[in-house]
Structures are given as C-alpha cells and as structure tokens.
Amino acid sequence: MNRLNGKVAIVTGAGRGIGAAIARAFAAEGAALVLAELDGASAEATAREIAQAQPGARTLAVPTDVTQATSVQAAVAAAERAFGPVDVLVNNAGINVFADPLTMTDDDWRRCFAVDLDGVWNGCRAVLPGMVERRAGSIVNIASTHAFQIIPGCFPYPVAKHGVIGLTRALGIEYAPKNVRVNAIAPGYIETQLTHDWWNAQPDPEAARRATLELPPMKRIGRPEEVAMTAVFLASDEAPFINASCITIDGGRTALHHE
Ligand code: NDP
C-alpha cells in the first residue's frame, strides 16, 4: 500500500480491461488519478467503483480520445488543475486491428496506427515537457507480445506494437538525462473484453478459447491485475534505474520453443 502516495497519474483507456485494473491498483497505492477514456460513461463507472472500494481515493474521469493530440493535452491540463503536475502516464488505450495485409483497407491501417501508436505518442508528447522541467516522471506504455512475435492474420497490429517498443526506447534514451523514465509492458493473452471479442470472432469461439489456454506453458491466460501490478512497480520509486526497457507478462509463452 501507498507505493504511489503523492503521485499524480493518468491512465488512458481506463474504462475497462487492463486500464481499469491499472486504475484500481494505482488508486489502492495512493495515486491521484485521471481516467482518460474514450467512453466517458465507462470511465465514470470505474471511478465510482474505485470510490466505493477505496473511500478517500482521488479520481477524475475525463473523456479523452488518444488519437487527438488536443484531447490528450486537455486531459493532462485537467489532471494538473485537479491534482497538480503529472508524475506518471500509462498509455494503455489500444485496439485490435487484425486483417489480411493485401485486402485490408486504408482506413483499417490508419485506425490501427491512430490509436495504437499515435495515441501513445500523443500521450508522451503531452506530459514530457512538464516531466522534463521537473526532472521527474515515469511513462509506462502498454505494448504486447505482438511487439516481438508475429501471429499470421493479425496485421497491422504487431507493426504498431513494434513501434510502441521503438518509441519507448527512443524516448527513454532521449530523456534519461532529465530523469524521466519511459518503459513498456508486453502482455501476452490477458482475459479482457478484447480477448473475448477475438474468441467470438473465430469460426469456433470455444475451440479458439481452448487453444489459447493450451498454448502458454502455465496453461492459462493472464489477468488484468497481473499487468496492473507491474505497472505499479514501473510507475513507483521502486524502479528508479529501469528505463527504455520492456517487461513481458506472458507466463513464459514467448520463451517457449515450439517443436
Ligand atoms: P479493452 O478493449 O478491454 O480496453 C481498451 C480500452 O481502451 C477501452 O476502454 C476503450 O474504450 C479504450 N480506448 C479505445 N480507443 C480509445 C481511444 N481512441 N482513446 C481513449 N481510449 C480508447 O482492451 P484491453 O484492456 O485488453 O487492452 C489494453 C491494452 O493492452 C491495449 O493497448 C492492448 O493492445 C494491450 N494488450 C492487450 C492484450 C490482451 O490480451 N487483452 C494483450 C497484449 C496487449 P471503448 O470501450 O470506448 O472502446
């Protein structure tokens, strides 16, 4: 408890799934929190749930579209007005765009990059000036194991997630002398609506679900809370020398050699 006491944090896409779990964990660790989410109602719902579970938690739901730089800047301004300078940003908002490269529409390509890569950059760009000025800050970007390994049929999502790792490393190095850390988390399969939507889009959803559970060495998929615990660690003062790095959370799946 209290590992983020005194810190002001913004979590994008905090209305559900991994982002909501990170918001809950950050609030439990004492952070004042802006839930920056496309769907204002789901952000409000998460904020209410946190307030009920943790009386005294400081939360603010701010409808935010990470594809729009001005929208993200407005969320940062709202955080500063409500709680003070932003210490931590978690760029979590993301979407799956899985298509065949040659039949994919231009719109699919742009939609994927707008959220999954531009969205991360928009967030970084909005908080970095303040962090650099104060010589303190931690940015945590939620990438994916798709940033390292390619699953056929998932184009162009992994291209954008490779970009998130590149962005993380580039900015981590650029601002290291200013004591601003930029790190990533690469989750494998985590049980959220996104995963259920993917299973349900398969010809045999139950078979797809079983196959997903069979693949990892631990024979299960991850829970949003397991990603949240790592986000707390990277955001906190417990990780002062971890920078331009990525922590994989996949139960060992990407390390497994398939015969
Ligand atoms: P969910 O779809 O459950 O949640 C994503 C959240 O992001 C939703 O609340 C969504 O809002 C919000 N969002 C989408 N677009 C925008 C936008 N333009 N601006 C602001 N918010 C937006 O996804 P997960 O929790 O599963 O995923 C979170 C992150 O983790 C993503 O970056 C994803 O790529 C990554 N990830 C997930 C894995 C998994 O297995 N679940 C594995 C590896 C990585 P709305 O509901 O209104 O659309």
Side-chain angles (χ1 to χ4, degrees), residues 16 18 37 39 64-66 92 142-143 157 161 187-188 190 192:
R16 69 180 202 189
I18 294 170
E37 159 70 52
D39 173 11
T64 307
D65 181 353
V66 298
N92 162 79
I142 306 300
Y157 177 80
K161 291 295 187 180
I190 306 295
T192 67

Side-chain angles (χ1 to χ4, degrees), residues 3 137-141 168-169 171-173 175-176 179-185 229-248:
R3 293 157 73 200
S138 173
I139 296 175
V140 180
N141 298 326
T168 300
R169 299 182 71 194
L171 295 178
I173 297 305
Y175 296 104
N179 198 36
V180 176
R181 298 181 295 111
V182 187
N183 291 294
I185 294 174
M229 286 189 274
T230 302
V232 167
F233 169 63
L234 287 174
S236 76
D237 296 334
E238 297 163 17
F241 205 49
I242 301 183
N243 181 38
S245 194
C246 178
I247 298 179
T248 297

Side-chain angles (χ1 to χ4, degrees), residues 12-20 36-40 42 64-68 91-96 114-116 142-146 157 161 185-195 197 221 224:
T12 69
R16 69 180 202 189
I18 294 170
E37 159 70 52
L38 190 60
D39 173 11
S42 71
T64 307
D65 181 353
V66 298
T67 68
Q68 305 300 315
N91 284 307
N92 162 79
I95 57 170
N96 277 353
V115 181
D116 291 340
I142 306 300
S144 166
T145 48
H146 286 257
Y157 177 80
K161 291 295 187 180
I185 294 174
Y189 281 109
I190 306 295
E191 188 158 6
T192 67
Q193 190 59 47
L194 197 74
T195 311
D197 290 347
I221 66 172

Side-chain angles (χ1 to χ4, degrees), residues 76-200:
V76 173
E80 287 172 347
R81 276 196 307 276
F83 304 127
V86 176
D87 303 291
V88 178
L89 168 68
V90 182
N91 284 307
N92 162 79
I95 57 170
N96 277 353
V97 180
F98 293 167
D100 171 80
L102 295 184
T103 57
M104 177 190 67
T105 64
D106 287 349
D107 184 54
D108 279 342
W109 171 269
R110 279 193 289 269
R111 201 163 51 86
C112 180
F113 278 82
V115 181
D116 291 340
L117 188 54
D118 294 358
V120 177
W121 170 231
N122 287 337
C124 294
R125 199 165 46 161
V127 296
L128 273 168
M131 290 181 172
V132 166
E133 194 186 322
R134 293 186 300 280
R135 299 182 74 88
S138 173
I139 296 175
V140 180
N141 298 326
I142 306 300
S144 166
T145 48
H146 286 257
F148 306 108
Q149 293 192 315
I150 301 297
I151 302 175
C154 295
F155 192 85
Y157 177 80
V159 186
K161 291 295 187 180
H162 275 66
V164 171
I165 296 296
L167 185 64
T168 300
R169 299 182 71 194
L171 295 178
I173 297 305
E174 204 73 48
Y175 296 104
K178 304 291 185 188
N179 198 36
V180 176
R181 298 181 295 111
V182 187
N183 291 294
I185 294 174
Y189 281 109
I190 306 295
E191 188 158 6
T192 67
Q193 190 59 47
L194 197 74
T195 311
H196 281 270
D197 290 347
W198 183 80
W199 286 331
N200 291 333

